[in-house]
Amino acid sequence: MLDAAGTGGSVAMFEFTVPVGAKVPLPHYHKQYDETVYGVEGVMTFTVEGKVSDIGPGESCFVPRGAVHGFNNLKQTDAKALAIVTPALIGPDYFKEMAAIVNAGGPPDVEKLKAVMLKHGLVPVMPPNSQGRGT
């Protein structure tokens, strides 16, 4: 919807869909940008610094830079949200690269996921007792 090129790097805004049963590949934080998520359809469950919140239509969640977070869809319908990132340090390339790894078949390659995340300013945080597996 909006990207760095169109806003002079100030803000990026995009919709994203989380299918039923989907989980973010790895909990993470952003070093250099804040993220605000606004629910459009369905319900996503966000965990920000250990606090769990369901975000449905018309509800929002602010994720400040440095806050460890993740999200999933534990409900029976797909969920859609609007994300606003300030400044605009992430864009469509990140999501395309992550989708290619996640959709490659079989369990996602955690090391490849981590490399893409780091490339785009996301710092993965391995959960305790994960033994190298994503969440």
Side-chain angles (χ1 to χ4, degrees):
M1 300 177 126
L2 295 172
D3 62 15
T7 66
S10 296
V11 65
M13 184 169 64
F14 51 87
E15 278 189 343
F16 65 101
T17 300
V18 181
V20 172
K23 296 180 180 182
V24 69
L26 294 172
H28 61 279
Y29 65 91
H30 317 132
K31 284 185 182 180
Q32 299 176 325
Y33 58 89
D34 300 318
E35 180 177 19
T36 302
V37 177
Y38 179 82
V40 176
E41 295 175 8
V43 176
M44 288 179 212
T45 301
F46 270 77
T47 302
V48 180
E49 290 293 318
K51 182 181 177 200
V52 179
S53 302
D54 284 342
I55 307 300
E59 298 175 318
S60 61
C61 174
F62 176 67
V63 183
R65 62 193 78 195
V68 174
H69 63 285
F71 58 90
N72 55 44
N73 181 351
L74 304 174
K75 307 302 182 188
Q76 299 302 310
T77 59
D78 290 350
K80 184 186 295 186
L82 178 70
I84 302 157
V85 176
T86 54
L89 297 177
I90 191 169
D93 289 346
Y94 167 75
F95 297 98
K96 290 175 187 174
E97 292 173 37
M98 290 295 280
I101 296 166
V102 171
N103 297 325
D109 183 322
V110 173
E111 293 307 313
K112 287 183 181 178
L113 292 172
K114 287 172 27 178
V116 170
M117 292 173 83
L118 289 167
K119 173 181 168 186
H120 292 276
L122 291 82
V123 180
V125 177
M126 295 304 291
N129 302 320
S130 66
Q131 298 178 15
R133 284 181 245 138
T135 60

